[in-house]
């Protein structure tokens, strides 16, 4: 009986160990889609690809190739997506750091970056992340519904700027460099 019991016991332990490894992969090998989405923003910067230097310029994700120096104050960037995908340019109009908007932190007058496409559902695909614009927060009364009203001034004299309701997951804070509303309020 001992001769049969010992090999069967060893075989069953080996099978159980193999079965357990196949069923549940190690937790550090799992990748969450939300992490990839945010990693895409952390590893790239936003550079102006259309209407450079204007408040209403269009931004796209770009890879930073060279930072400014004392001799040349411009960034060298290569666009990853958007209307200028693959193009390498020298520019001073960049947004180096952004963060997602959490409910309750927006204040009227804040300058934020918004997704041009404004999809209803947060699609973690990079397909709809190719065009971004700066905007000024106008109304935060519907933030509990996941919507904020933004206005898009075109210059310092535009006091009747266009307004749109944008879903909160399509809005990002501009952390570096700080941007201010271009209009001059008396």
């Amino acid at each position: 009986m001992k001769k049969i019991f010992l090999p069967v016991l060893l075989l069953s332990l080996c099978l159980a160990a193999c079965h357990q490894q196949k069923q549940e992969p190690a937790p550090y090998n799992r990748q969450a889609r939300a992490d990839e989405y945010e990693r895409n923003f952390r590893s790239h910067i936003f550079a102006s690809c259309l209407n450079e230097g204007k408040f209403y310029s269009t931004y796209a994700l770009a890879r930073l190739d060279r930072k400014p120096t004392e001799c040349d104050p411009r960034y060298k960037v290569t666009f990853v997506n958007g209307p200028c995908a693959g193009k390498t340019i020298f520019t001073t109009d960049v947004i180096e750091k952004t963060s997602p908007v959490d409910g309750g932190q927006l204040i009227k007058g804040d300058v934020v970056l918004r997704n041009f496409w404004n999809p209803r559902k947060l699609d973690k695909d990079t397909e709809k992340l190719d065009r971004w614009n700066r905007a000024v927060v106008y109304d935060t009364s519907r933030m509990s519904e996941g919507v904020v009203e933004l206005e898009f001034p075109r210059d310092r004299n535009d006091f009747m700027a266009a307004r749109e309701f944008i879903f909160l997951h399509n809005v990002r804070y501009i952390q570096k460099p700080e941007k201010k509303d271009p209009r001059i309020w008396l």
Side-chain angles (χ1 to χ4, degrees):
M1 183 79 170
K2 285 185 180 179
K3 290 182 181 180
I4 295 174
F5 181 70
L6 188 59
V8 170
L9 179 66
L10 288 174
L11 181 62
S12 64
L13 286 174
C14 289
L15 288 174
C18 291
H19 180 69
Q20 211 172 24
Q21 285 178 349
K22 288 181 183 176
Q23 263 186 342
E24 195 170 325
Y28 54 84
N29 288 336
R30 294 183 188 153
Q31 292 192 0
R33 300 276 298 158
D35 293 341
E36 291 175 23
Y37 180 74
E38 270 309 308
R39 191 177 307 123
N40 196 21
F41 294 120
R42 284 193 306 263
S43 62
H44 295 94
I45 63 170
F46 288 97
S48 176
C49 62
L50 300 172
N51 303 315
E52 183 180 348
K54 308 267 193 235
F55 189 81
Y56 56 87
S57 65
T58 300
Y59 292 86
L61 284 175
R63 183 181 68 242
L64 179 61
D65 295 333
R66 193 185 78 205
K67 287 191 172 195
T69 61
E70 290 179 13
C71 300
D72 189 7
R74 300 176 300 167
Y75 292 83
K76 180 181 179 185
V77 297
T78 303
F79 289 100
V80 198
N81 62 9
C84 303
K87 186 177 176 184
T88 301
I89 65 165
F90 289 92
T91 183
T92 56
D93 193 3
V94 298
I95 298 173
E96 292 181 36
K97 189 175 181 183
T98 63
S99 64
V101 169
D102 299 332
Q105 296 178 358
L106 288 176
I107 301 168
K108 183 177 180 175
D110 283 348
V111 177
V112 294
L113 199 61
R114 70 99 182 197
N115 187 344
F116 175 80
W117 300 107
N118 194 26
R120 178 177 288 281
K121 293 187 179 178
L122 179 59
D123 187 13
K124 308 248 181 199
D125 244 355
T126 57
E127 181 181 324
K128 294 290 185 184
L129 298 176
D130 63 348
R131 294 181 187 189
W132 296 78
N133 299 98
R134 283 185 283 183
V136 179
V137 176
Y138 182 75
D139 186 19
T140 59
S141 62
R142 292 183 53 194
M143 281 186 67
S144 60
E145 301 169 25
V147 176
V148 66
E149 188 174 4
L150 301 178
E151 59 183 355
F152 306 96
R154 299 197 56 82
D155 63 14
R156 64 188 185 102
N157 296 319
D158 190 3
F159 294 103
M160 297 296 287
R163 294 186 190 135
E164 277 184 44
F165 284 99
I166 307 294
F167 295 104
L168 282 177
H169 58 263
N170 295 318
V171 178
R172 297 186 67 81
Y173 286 114
I174 300 174
Q175 293 179 323
K176 185 179 178 185
E178 268 189 53
K179 302 286 182 180
K180 300 208 183 284
D181 191 342
R183 297 171 289 187
I184 299 169
W185 300 95
L186 301 176

